Amino acid sequence: FDILTNEVLPRAQSRLKSGGRFRIWSAGCSNGQEAFSIVMHLLDKDPSLQDKDFRILATDIDPKVIAFARSATYPERMTDNIPEDLRKQPTQLKGQPAHKMADACRNLVRFKELNLMSAWPMWQAFDAVFCRNVVIYFDAPTQDALWPRFHDALLPDGMLFLGHSERV
């Protein structure tokens, strides 16, 4: 998240000032925690993003986890690792014992079903793609086929974020 906020965000802010867009894809988003973590970190750094052309696409193959993610409601045990400074933001988590993401965060994330092995319907490139701890579940030939596709989904200066056990 440091690289996202310190390297990717400044380039995007420059583009946003001139009317451009800022897009992030969370591939294999599971229950949405990664997408909302991204949004919380970025809004903490630049609250004006919620008023700009900034969106996160969060995809997963499982319709049940997508439905859960869309609900944007998490039991307290799933929010324990959120840093206190982000937890206290007025645009973030609210409620006990379940926390619901505030509209300021929810409005920036779109959850969609997507099989990474199928055609990808996205037609514009992303500033960043988060694919953390997803590709490790595929065999080596499938991984080798996915890397160029992720590359093609990125802007020329875009970044691909991988999990600690994934290797290109």
Side-chain angles (χ1 to χ4, degrees):
F1 293 112
D2 290 338
I3 292 171
L4 176 67
T5 57
N6 295 327
E7 294 184 33
V8 177
L9 178 59
R11 291 193 302 253
Q13 286 169 317
S14 174
R15 205 169 36 256
L16 287 166
K17 285 180 185 171
S18 62
R21 57 194 285 286
F22 180 25
R23 295 292 187 272
I24 296 174
W25 176 21
S26 173
C29 72
S30 187
N31 57 27
Q33 288 172 294
E34 178 178 77
F36 286 126
S37 293
I38 293 167
V39 133
M40 287 191 292
H41 278 86
L42 290 173
L43 286 181
D44 183 57
K45 191 82 165 181
D46 182 357
S48 75
L49 286 174
Q50 62 190 336
D51 301 319
K52 302 221 165 80
D53 191 1
F54 165 59
R55 297 287 178 277
I56 296 176
L57 171 65
T59 62
D60 199 278
I61 192 171
D62 188 337
K64 290 179 184 171
V65 298
I66 289 295
F68 180 88
R70 279 187 185 127
S71 78
T73 304
Y74 297 92
E76 192 163 349
R77 67 179 165 70
M78 292 178 81
T79 61
D80 286 344
N81 291 332
I82 297 173
E84 272 307 308
D85 58 328
L86 295 180
R87 193 182 288 268
K88 292 179 181 178
Q89 295 292 326
T91 58
Q92 313 307 335
L93 296 171
K94 299 178 182 192
Q96 295 284 344
H99 296 281
K100 183 155 183 96
M101 295 302 299
D103 289 345
C105 292
R106 291 175 45 211
N107 293 340
L108 297 174
V109 182
R110 303 288 180 264
F111 291 100
K112 303 283 183 189
E113 290 177 40
L114 179 72
N115 181 341
L116 290 175
M117 302 311 302
S118 299
W120 297 350
M122 298 82 84
W123 53 276
Q124 290 189 327
F126 294 90
D127 294 271
V129 174
F130 280 74
C131 186
R132 300 184 317 155
N133 304 316
V134 176
V135 178
I136 57 172
Y137 296 104
F138 297 113
D139 61 21
T142 304
Q143 290 180 19
D144 290 343
L146 283 172
W147 299 132
R149 294 180 73 194
F150 282 120
H151 177 267
D152 291 344
L154 285 165
L155 291 170
D157 64 346
M159 287 195 173
L160 174 63
F161 293 87
L162 301 175
H164 67 277
S165 27
E166 290 161 319
R167 302 287 181 265
V168 176

